[in-house]
RNA sequence: GGAGAGUUGGCAGAGUGGUCGAAUGCGGCGGUCUUGAAAACCGUUGUACCGCAAGGUACCAGGGGUUCGAAUCCCUUACUCUCCGCCA
């Protein structure tokens, strides 16, 4: 949510930012006008109330006072009721506006305008034609899409045998890195969240199409642990000296992937359910960019330890997520696709989420409550990491070597082709 | 799933329909005393919104209602606790 005071002070500046993200001028003007109307009406209501309060005696009112008060009460109620639709519209509009992007964010409307910042690692050279992870996964008995389609439907997978073990190992490895080496608190949150939480992080009201909603409830399957982890602090006023707060958590994420028909139909890239280890930081506004860089480094360290080549990409304005002011994606190399694919997205939301979710800190010296900044990033998307590992660590015989850092977790060294699928 | 009890300021906890933004205690902040600290004593101490300001308005879990007037009465939702049942 944007700062209404900023909009009042400098509507042009705010709109120029929003325009980059496709916000309609009329919609924005409506909002500004409505706010003016609301404030005017509020002043009237409060004046009426002031009058009423002044007239109200300490004890029982006389007959004469009573009739006056009755009249006033009537007009207060009437005027007050006229406020309600204004407030509702204002709130509904306010929730629709995306965050303003930072000045450094490159212009552009599609991912084609994203800017590559740097490349890390060495691209592999195979002396055979590398298989895709889904081919490898099926022939090694790791990935079972058929049974998943039977039990559930398309875009689901059953991880089996060493595939399941490797995924589990990856989760453990990532969490250990973040908790032991990067100072995050581990949280294992609920998978189901309510609409208030989703509104707090910005998934609602605009993006309900991509969410699985549980029938007859206010519950949704969470699309990302960003929701659970950020909303841990919903409504809180934190002590300034407790910042920054860093939490990490592994969850399954559930997305409808509406509008992605035909895209990435094979393999682990785009599923309705996938595992992700998420990083969330609640930070002091003055430190948010530094903390964001650190968070990015934490996500990168996983790729480095797994020896997977990747690149760092700064998203253009048009590709930014709704609440983000600035986002950098990590994209890992997929040999079979001969291109980089997103595996992490690290964003700084500034005070956009904290306004919605009412997350504040109390200044040590000022004693005043101000909004914190929130950051998050994947650290990493586990399924995609598994896929990348399979492709990079494959051999000519169709077997897959386990990356060194995972060997102590899984206690096997290699995954080989199997002859029979059950 | 059934029965009951709750939800009040940072915390604990009182509150008869009007004098309640709300007693009291703790905590916090400031001061006196002290070489310093503790103790004691005195004072002070919620948040949001509107307004250039003076100031005003609102808030006792959320929403609705009764009333001239609601923390207090009624309805409703959420959450917490106790007991019973069921269950991993």
């Amino acid at each position: 949510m944007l700062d209404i005071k900023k909009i009042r002070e400098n509507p042009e500046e705010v709109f120029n930012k929003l325009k980059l993200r496709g916000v309609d001028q009329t919609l924005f003007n409506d909002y500004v006008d409505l706010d003016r109307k609301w404030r005017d009406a509020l002043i009237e209501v409060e004046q009426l109330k002031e009058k009423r309060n002044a007239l109200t005696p300490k004890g029982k009112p006389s007959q004469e006072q009573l009739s006056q008060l009755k009249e006033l009460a009537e007009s207060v109620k009437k005027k007050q009721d006229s406020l309600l639709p204004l407030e509702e519209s204002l709130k509904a509009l306010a929730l629709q506006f995306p965050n303003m992007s930072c000045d450094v964010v490159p212009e552009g409307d599609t991912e084609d305008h994203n800017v590559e910042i740097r490349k890390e690692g060495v691209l592999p050279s195979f002396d055979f034609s590398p298989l895709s992870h889904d081919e490898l996964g099926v022939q090694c008995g790791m990935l079972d899409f058929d049974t998943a389609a039977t039990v559930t439907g398309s875009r689901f997978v059953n991880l089996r045998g060493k595939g399941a073990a490797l995924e589990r190992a990856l989760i453990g490895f990532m969490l250990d890195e973040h908790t032991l080496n990067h100072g995050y608190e581990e949280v294992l949150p609920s998978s189901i969240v309510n609409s208030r939480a989703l509104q707090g992080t910005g998934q609602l009201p605009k993006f309900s199409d991509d969410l699985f909603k549980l029938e007859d409830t206010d519950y949704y399957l969470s699309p990302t642990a960003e929701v659970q982890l950020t909303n841990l602090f919903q409504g809180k006023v934190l002590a300034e000296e407790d910042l920054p707060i860093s939490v990490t958590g592994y969850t399954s994420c559930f997305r409808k992937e509406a509008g992605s028909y035909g895209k990435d139909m094979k393999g682990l890239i785009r599923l309705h359910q996938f595992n992700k280890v998420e990083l969330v930081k609640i930070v002091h506004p003055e430190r948010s960019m530094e903390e964001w860089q650190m968070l990015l480094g934490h996500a990168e360290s996983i790729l480095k330890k797994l020896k997977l080549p990747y690149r760092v990409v700064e998203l253009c304005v048009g590709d930014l997520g709704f609440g983000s002011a600035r986002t950098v994606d990590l994209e890992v190399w997929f040999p079979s696709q001969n291109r980089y694919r997103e595996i992490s997205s690290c964003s700084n939301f500034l005070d956009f989420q904290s306004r919605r979710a009412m997350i504040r800190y109390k200044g040590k010296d000022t004693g005043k409550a101000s909004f914190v900044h929130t950051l998050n990033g994947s650290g990493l998307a586990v399924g995609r990491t598994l896929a990348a590992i399979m492709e990079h660590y494959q051999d000519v015989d169709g077997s897959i070597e386990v990356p060194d850092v995972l060997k102590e977790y899984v206690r096997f060294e290699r995954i080989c082709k199997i002859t029979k699928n059950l």
Side-chain angles (χ1 to χ4, degrees), chain A residues 100-329:
Chain A
M100 294 191 283
S101 56
C102 292
D103 291 333
V104 295
V105 171
E107 289 190 25
D109 2 284
T110 66
E111 61 178 302
D112 301 332
H113 300 97
N114 294 346
V115 177
E116 181 180 295
I117 299 174
R118 59 192 154 88
K119 287 191 168 106
E120 302 284 347
V122 186
L123 296 192
S125 56
F126 293 95
D127 45 17
F128 57 94
S129 168
L131 296 178
S132 69
H133 71 273
D134 53 286
E135 290 173 291
L136 287 161
V138 170
Q139 71 184 20
C140 291
M142 297 168 72
L143 308 181
D144 184 349
F145 295 100
D146 293 342
T147 58
T150 306
V151 176
T152 312
S154 70
R155 289 205 192 282
F156 286 89
V157 69
N158 286 325
L159 295 173
R160 301 187 66 164
K162 289 180 174 164
L166 204 54
E167 174 102 354
R168 175 160 54 87
L170 270 172
I171 294 164
F173 163 66
M174 290 178 192
L175 287 172
D176 283 349
E177 281 296 304
H178 298 315
T179 56
L180 271 29
N181 298 334
H182 306 144
Y184 288 73
E185 181 200 346
E186 180 175 347
V187 181
L188 185 54
S190 63
S191 299
I192 295 174
V193 294
N194 62 29
S195 59
R196 176 74 191 80
L198 287 161
Q199 190 182 293
T201 32
Q203 283 76 17
L204 286 180
K206 277 200 94 172
F207 305 99
S208 58
D209 284 356
D210 206 37
L211 299 172
F212 288 103
K213 185 172 192 201
L214 303 188
E215 206 171 359
D216 299 326
T217 68
D218 182 45
Y219 290 159
Y220 297 78
L221 296 179
S222 174
T224 163
E226 164 192 349
V227 179
Q228 293 98 310
L229 296 184
T230 306
N231 279 290
L232 284 178
F233 307 98
Q234 182 194 120
K236 292 228 159 93
V237 182
L238 305 158
E240 184 171 13
E241 54 267 34
D242 289 340
L243 302 178
I245 299 172
S246 308
V247 287
T248 184
Y250 140 70
T251 62
S252 290
C253 305
F254 302 89
R255 299 182 184 176
K256 279 194 175 171
E257 296 296 342
S260 68
Y261 302 112
K263 256 196 223 166
D264 301 312
M265 287 312 290
K266 283 199 159 174
L268 298 174
I269 301 294
R270 195 178 299 276
L271 299 174
H272 288 309
Q273 174 180 349
F274 60 95
N275 293 319
K276 180 157 61 68
V277 169
E278 185 75 0
L279 304 171
V280 164
K281 272 178 180 268
I282 308 293
V283 305
H284 195 287
E286 282 163 22
R287 300 251 324 137
S288 77
M289 278 306 167
E290 288 127 283
E291 293 287 348
W292 176 67
Q293 291 290 348
M294 286 170 66
L295 181 138
L296 178 66
H298 299 151
E300 281 186 62
S301 79
I302 302 291
L303 288 165
K304 283 181 178 148
K305 292 207 170 178
L306 290 168
K307 298 197 170 75
L308 294 171
Y310 64 95
R311 63 172 189 168
V312 184
V313 176
E314 169 113 37
L315 298 196
C316 72
V317 174
D319 209 24
L320 283 181
F322 181 69
S324 175
R326 192 176 180 191
T327 297
V328 159
D329 276 3

